[in-house]
Amino acid sequence: MSSEIDDAEEAVRVRFTVNGRKVACEVAPRDTLVDCLRNALELTGTHAGCEMGACGACLVQLDGRAVHGCLMFAVQADGARIDTIEGLSESGAIADLQAEFHRRNALQCGFCTPGMLINAHELLSRLTEPSRAAIRDALSGNFCRCTGYEAIVDAIAAVADARAAKASQEGSPG
Amino acid sequence: MKARAFSYHRAHSVDDAREAHARSGDDARYIAGGQSLVPALALRLQAPRILIDINHIEELRGVRCDGEWLRIGALTRHCEMLTDPLIAEFAPLLRAAAPFVAHPAIRNRGTLGGSVALADPASEFPAMMLALDAEIEIAGTSGRRRVRADDFFIDLFETAVGPGEIVTAILVPRFRCNQRICFDELARRRGDYALVGCGMLATCKDGLVETIRIAFFSVGNVPTRARSAEAVVSGARIDADRIVAAQAALDRDLAPPESDEVPPAMRLHLARVLLGRLLARMSEAA
Ligand SMILES: Cc1cc2nc3c(=O)[nH]c(=O)nc-3n(C[C@H](O)[C@H](O)[C@H](O)COP(=O)(O)OP(=O)(O)OC[C@H]3O[C@@H](n4cnc5c(N)ncnc54)[C@H](O)[C@@H]3O)c2cc1C
Ligand code: FES
Ligand code: FES
């Protein structure tokens, strides 16, 4: 066997916690995180679009922060906690966002939706009442080829309002 | 859109990383945030044999005061520029520039050290190094050295960082209460690289600008100080006449290259517009 890296695709073992489950898999160092999630772990909710950081379809949470699955290699995530759209859906953490996207037609083909939701989720965890400009700004790295964005911004704004209303209800005695 | 095969080394210290680089025969790349490097690998603009991950080197992390300086570890992420209280207090120009750097998820990964080491002429932070008179700490074979930003940027993507060397920290003179900053850029879309951008740091006294450093980006091969414009404004009260004179002086400071998208004359015009706006804001703050 040749020791030339060009010929021999070495495999490395990585372990991470994906959607709360400990998993181990064999990857080549050049496999991106999004490819590993989709191909090895069959979590195909995370989409691969441009594979160069431009479209935002591949967003996942790495240790609680939104990152591009196409802009890191799976080996780099060894030891990390990864949450994908599947995990966030099952936990119910974004159920209100999903319902509002659905209600307002904020998705058509759905290719961009997982990335949009992960970004929106992070935005709303940082800012409770973002302006429309702040929402647009947060989505500046997410392309949607179907909706024209307006319905997406509406949905996120509506969820922000609903969450704020709920929080103030819970906060006020009686 | 897949990188060529490489092997991966996770470094745990600066020496470990540098040794791995030397062992590779310098056919290696350090990866920090990866937000510029991974696209370059995917497009096969670069194809190193070894990728050395510096994300786990503890000493490259953290922001702290060090005498008259603010020491910002190379691994400080762009998003931390927006939230770190020491940055807000002692390096507010970086805080002001950060929202313009890429998009939120990219800011979650991208690092200050990576941005400065890459020295993309369209990037915000490298130019702010010039405006701040910052120093870049570099680890090389003969130990650590500090290079002033004025001497750091050499040519397109070329800096004082030699092969195998690592940027360990950025040192910024601590912001003082008699100083003022301004930052803005003109871009087609928020998060895109700017058509032209500018940041400035002025030291003021009794409503006069004593000294000022004005740095532009997206105007040529390297981030560029507008020294003639600085001279027009230094030691003066900024009024409408000064602003016009400073705008005229930009001719001598900037020579935007030919480009299909933005012709040089248009870029120079945009730089003048931006300078005028920023100096007007500065005059209100001074
Ligand atoms: C869609 C998109 C939009 C973007 N928009 C902008 C923008 O508007 N403005 C902007 O400024 N940037 C933008 N970026 C780039 C982003 O800011 C990068 O994070 C930054 O330029 C590089 O930092 P990094 O840590 O990701 O470096 P990496 O990509 O990891 O590395 C970049 C280069 O620097 C070297 N390097 C990294 N760290 C060190 C170190 N400590 N010592 C020595 N060498 C080192 C690497 O070997 C590599 O050659 C954008 C990126 C994308 C994908
Ligand atoms: S696939 Fe990652 S940003 Fe497009
Ligand atoms: S719904 Fe089709 S790309 Fe957004």
Side-chain angles (χ1 to χ4, degrees):
Chain A
M1 235 182 79
S2 157
S3 64
E4 280 293 306
I5 296 158
D6 300 325
D7 312 333
E9 271 277 37
E10 57 176 325
V12 271
R13 198 163 178 74
V14 295
R15 294 185 183 76
F16 28 55
T17 306
V18 180
N19 299 329
R21 253 180 346 116
K22 289 205 162 112
V23 298
C25 58
E26 301 270 321
V27 296
R30 65 162 157 171
D31 291 342
T32 57
L33 182 58
V34 61
D35 283 345
C36 173
L37 291 168
R38 290 178 56 84
N39 302 335
L41 302 176
E42 298 186 359
L43 291 168
T44 54
T46 307
H47 293 160
C50 66
E51 299 183 87
M52 50 185 279
C55 75
C58 64
L59 291 183
V60 297
Q61 285 193 333
L62 176 85
D63 294 324
R65 302 298 298 257
V67 304
H68 291 82
C70 73
L71 292 187
M72 72 184 285
F73 298 105
V75 275
Q76 291 189 277
D78 188 46
R81 193 181 90 232
I82 295 151
D83 293 287
T84 68
I85 191 66
E86 287 89 347
L88 292 175
S89 300
E90 280 160 27
S91 73
I94 55 169
D96 52 354
L97 274 167
Q98 288 168 308
E100 201 61 37
F101 266 57
H102 187 212
R103 207 167 75 78
R104 291 177 182 264
N105 282 333
L107 69 158
Q108 289 176 31
C109 78
F111 193 83
C112 68
T113 315
M116 290 288 181
L117 288 168
I118 286 188
N119 227 342
H121 182 48
E122 176 160 312
L123 172 71
L124 296 185
S125 66
R126 278 191 298 114
L127 290 180
T128 46
E129 283 168 273
S131 63
R132 286 183 78 81
I135 294 171
R136 286 196 166 274
D137 208 31
L139 298 180
S140 63
N142 291 69
F143 286 1
C144 177
R145 287 291 176 250
C146 304
T147 67
Y149 302 98
E150 210 53 32
I152 296 176
V153 178
D154 290 346
I156 296 169
V159 171
D161 288 346
R163 287 189 188 180
K166 190 155 171 266
S168 75
Q169 249 175 23
E170 282 165 4
S172 62
Chain B
M1 292 300 292
K2 303 289 177 200
R4 203 187 72 178
F6 53 77
S7 56
Y8 172 82
H9 177 77
R10 184 178 281 195
H12 290 282
S13 71
V14 169
D15 288 345
D16 173 18
R18 289 195 35 254
E19 280 158 23
H21 202 287
R23 276 200 305 279
S24 77
D26 286 337
D27 191 1
R29 282 279 162 202
Y30 297 124
I31 183 164
Q35 306 299 290
S36 294
L37 182 60
V38 179
L41 296 175
L43 295 165
R44 301 208 178 190
L45 300 172
Q46 295 186 17
R49 257 165 35 90
I50 299 180
L51 203 64
I52 303 168
D53 192 342
I54 60 172
N55 281 280
H56 301 268
I57 303 179
E58 210 37 56
E59 65 171 301
L60 300 183
R61 280 180 200 289
V63 181
R64 61 185 158 82
C65 288
D66 185 354
E68 289 306 295
W69 300 84
L70 185 69
R71 183 188 173 86
I72 309 173
L75 278 179
T76 307
R77 313 262 172 207
H78 302 338
C79 60
E80 293 176 71
M81 300 295 157
L82 291 165
T83 53
D84 188 288
L86 290 176
I87 303 257
E89 186 173 357
F90 296 121
L93 189 56
L94 297 181
R95 167 76 184 71
F100 294 87
V101 180
H103 317 285
I106 288 166
R107 294 199 290 267
N108 283 345
R109 288 294 291 168
T111 67
L112 182 61
S115 181
V116 172
L118 181 66
D120 187 321
S123 273
E124 288 80 2
F125 291 138
M128 295 313 101
M129 298 297 113
L130 292 175
L132 289 167
D133 201 8
E135 296 188 3
I136 293 94
E137 186 185 79
I138 304 169
T141 21
S142 47
R144 305 264 163 123
R145 66 183 192 282
R146 279 164 69 160
V147 179
R148 281 186 67 180
D150 281 329
D151 304 319
F152 183 82
F153 302 103
I154 295 168
D155 205 340
L156 189 61
F157 298 114
E158 194 186 331
T159 68
V161 180
E165 294 192 322
I166 295 183
V167 172
T168 46
I170 305 300
L171 291 118
V172 177
R174 280 166 57 167
F175 186 70
R176 299 190 305 272
C177 58
N178 61 339
Q179 293 185 313
R180 302 288 177 268
I181 55 138
C182 272
F183 178 94
D184 210 347
E185 68 180 43
L186 301 172
R188 291 220 159 89
R189 213 174 59 98
R190 187 63 176 253
D192 279 2
Y193 285 102
L195 298 172
V196 56
C198 177
M200 54 180 74
L201 173 76
T203 306
C204 306
K205 195 177 175 187
D206 306 329
L208 295 186
V209 169
E210 277 190 326
T211 58
I212 190 166
R213 294 175 69 95
I214 303 174
F216 278 90
F217 53 98
S218 272
V219 290
N221 283 353
V222 283
T224 307
R225 264 179 78 190
R227 289 174 192 268
S228 312
E230 288 175 4
V232 170
V233 181
S234 292
R237 189 175 304 277
I238 302 177
D239 55 20
D241 290 343
R242 285 281 163 187
I243 294 177
V244 171
Q247 286 173 311
L250 272 190
D251 267 353
R252 280 172 273 145
D253 292 323
L254 307 179
E258 281 299 335
S259 116
D260 291 340
E261 222 191 325
V262 191
M266 175 177 161
R267 214 185 282 272
L268 193 58
H269 170 75
L270 293 176
R272 284 205 194 94
V273 169
L274 189 61
L275 181 68
R277 288 183 192 168
L278 289 176
L279 286 176
R281 273 188 235 162
M282 196 55 107
S283 72
E284 286 161 24

